[in-house]
Amino acid sequence: MAVSAEHIRTLHKYEKTILSVLERQMSRYSWVPLEQLITSTGFAESEVNYRLARLIEWGMVRFNPVPYDGYALVFGGYDTLALASLTRKGTISALGVQLGEGKESVVYEALGLGPVAIKFHRIGGRSFNSARVNREYMAEGHCPWLVASKLSAEREYKALVALHPKVSVPLPIAQNRHTVVMSLIQGANLNRCILEAPAVVLDEILENVRIAYKEGMIHSDLSEYNILMEEGKCVLIDWPQWIDAAHPNAEVTLNRDLDNILTYFKRKYQLRYDLEDAIQCVTG
Ligand SMILES: Nc1ncnc2c1ncn2[C@@H]1O[C@H](COP(=O)(O)OP(=O)(O)OP(=O)(O)O)[C@@H](O)[C@H]1O
Ligand SMILES: [Mg+2]
């Protein structure tokens, strides 16, 4: 992750103000002009420049000199704003170790009332972060990575709220900007486990998929990587791409989810379970 907990702790209130102004102005500008930052913050130009230099060094803000001197928020800065809000509300008090990193997110352990997990959604991160792509995509004053990452987090949170506790998913705790705070699952991903009773676990997974389907939701990215095993019990994670059970692609998507799981259990445990039977069990 770009942002370090140390920098967030030592962030000056003026730096926080600048990040907030940038966040707001990103819907108007591709690159927020220095003059705009001075006007919006009410700080002296030298103060703004000094604070910006620090934010750039910490990977929270980016500078672009063409066609005018402008500044943009990047993921590190957005992370910082989200963490500052969650801290202010008392949702979390400290950031811990990294738990995982995928194509479109990074997950950290954090301290809330107890241990929690915080997932930072990162949609369109690397490509959108290049100055060239930013200029192209943000020419109209849009900020696609920021909007897409926030939507992704909101979508995942919505699924967890709808499904918990009927389906075995992490308990949703809070959602802010592009982040979701949820209960920390103590256990390994299914792909890293050697199960003693694989048939029992497979039945349990299908039962959870069935209940989610009954609640109108299909995971859409179900695999051995998105199932955690906590004390012998499966927990289905990673929900931002869920689709409605009434969606035109529902059947194809559900079949693919089920096929992923059945193929995995067949390959690793020589367990045979007919796809048609699984579909029947989930939708019947
Ligand atoms: N609530 C949680 N408790 C413990 N560990 C978690 C939790 N949520 C996620 N993780 C860990 O972080 C990893 C990544 O999380 P997740 O699968 O939700 O996102 P992702 O795989 O990065 O997303 P994408 O599939 O878009 O790349 C998981 O494989 C898991 O190891
Ligand atoms: Mg995943």
Side-chain angles (χ1 to χ4, degrees):
M1 174 153 71
V3 65
S4 97
E6 178 59 28
H7 291 150
I8 293 170
R9 253 197 310 280
T10 56
L11 200 72
H12 189 274
K13 65 177 186 205
Y14 288 179
E15 286 150 5
K16 177 111 191 293
T17 305
I18 290 177
L19 289 178
S20 300
V21 168
L22 276 175
E23 179 185 33
R24 237 176 303 127
Q25 296 293 335
M26 292 294 280
S27 58
R28 290 179 60 198
Y29 297 101
S30 313
W31 297 92
V32 182
L34 180 63
E35 296 75 53
Q36 179 69 57
L37 285 172
I38 295 167
T39 315
S40 299
T41 57
F43 303 155
E45 178 169 352
S46 57
E47 182 73 48
V48 174
N49 276 323
Y50 172 69
R51 298 298 167 191
L52 280 169
R54 284 162 54 98
L55 293 169
I56 290 168
E57 190 187 316
W58 296 340
M60 297 179 188
V61 169
R62 219 169 239 262
F63 169 67
N64 178 51
V66 183
Y68 57 84
D69 280 10
Y71 297 86
L73 195 69
V74 289
F75 272 124
Y78 204 36
D79 293 347
T80 304
L81 285 170
L83 285 170
S85 293
L86 290 166
T87 307
R88 185 164 36 78
K89 290 177 192 147
T91 310
I92 61 166
S93 56
L95 200 61
V97 297
Q98 186 175 317
L99 294 170
E101 180 163 18
K103 301 176 299 298
E104 304 199 306
S105 82
V106 48
V107 182
Y108 276 76
E109 190 175 332
L111 199 61
L113 285 177
V116 299
I118 174 164
K119 179 169 175 179
F120 298 83
H121 289 244
R122 293 225 183 304
I123 309 295
R126 285 170 192 98
S127 50
F128 288 174
N129 260 349
S130 90
R132 186 187 63 78
V133 176
N134 257 346
R135 266 203 300 282
E136 284 171 11
Y137 277 79
M138 294 159 58
E140 310 291 332
H142 294 303
C143 191
W145 64 265
L146 188 147
V147 174
S149 301
K150 179 166 176 277
L151 282 175
S152 178
E154 287 169 354
R155 230 179 128 64
E156 176 156 42
Y157 188 71
K158 190 175 167 190
L160 298 182
V161 168
L163 297 178
H164 188 88
K166 292 174 221 132
V167 179
S168 179
V169 299
L171 166 76
I173 295 170
Q175 195 270 312
N176 187 277
R177 295 182 173 80
H178 61 322
T179 69
V180 175
V181 181
M182 57 191 138
S183 59
L184 178 74
I185 307 303
Q186 316 264 8
N189 298 59
L190 179 61
N191 64 301
R192 294 173 55 198
C193 297
I194 296 169
L195 300 175
E196 281 171 22
V200 176
V201 174
L202 176 56
D203 281 342
E204 194 187 311
I205 294 168
L206 294 178
E207 175 62 6
N208 278 291
V209 174
R210 186 185 72 77
I211 301 167
Y213 183 81
K214 210 176 82 195
E215 296 297 320
M217 289 179 164
I218 299 170
H219 187 289
S220 291
D221 191 22
L222 196 63
S223 74
E224 62 275 23
Y225 304 101
N226 285 333
I227 297 174
L228 299 180
M229 294 303 301
E230 186 177 48
E231 293 170 5
K233 211 170 127 283
C234 70
V235 183
L236 277 47
I237 61 163
D238 202 0
W239 284 86
Q241 66 297 306
W242 69 271
I243 63 162
D244 197 288
H247 190 279
N249 291 339
E251 193 182 332
V252 177
T253 308
L254 177 66
N255 293 4
R256 193 187 54 215
D257 274 0
L258 292 172
D259 192 45
N260 286 344
I261 296 301
L262 296 187
T263 303
Y264 175 74
F265 276 87
K266 188 164 150 200
R267 181 164 52 77
K268 183 147 176 182
Y269 298 104
Q270 289 76 52
L271 208 71
R272 294 191 177 279
Y273 200 120
D274 191 53
L275 179 60
E276 291 306 320
D277 291 347
I279 295 167
Q280 186 58 36
C281 150
V282 168
T283 62

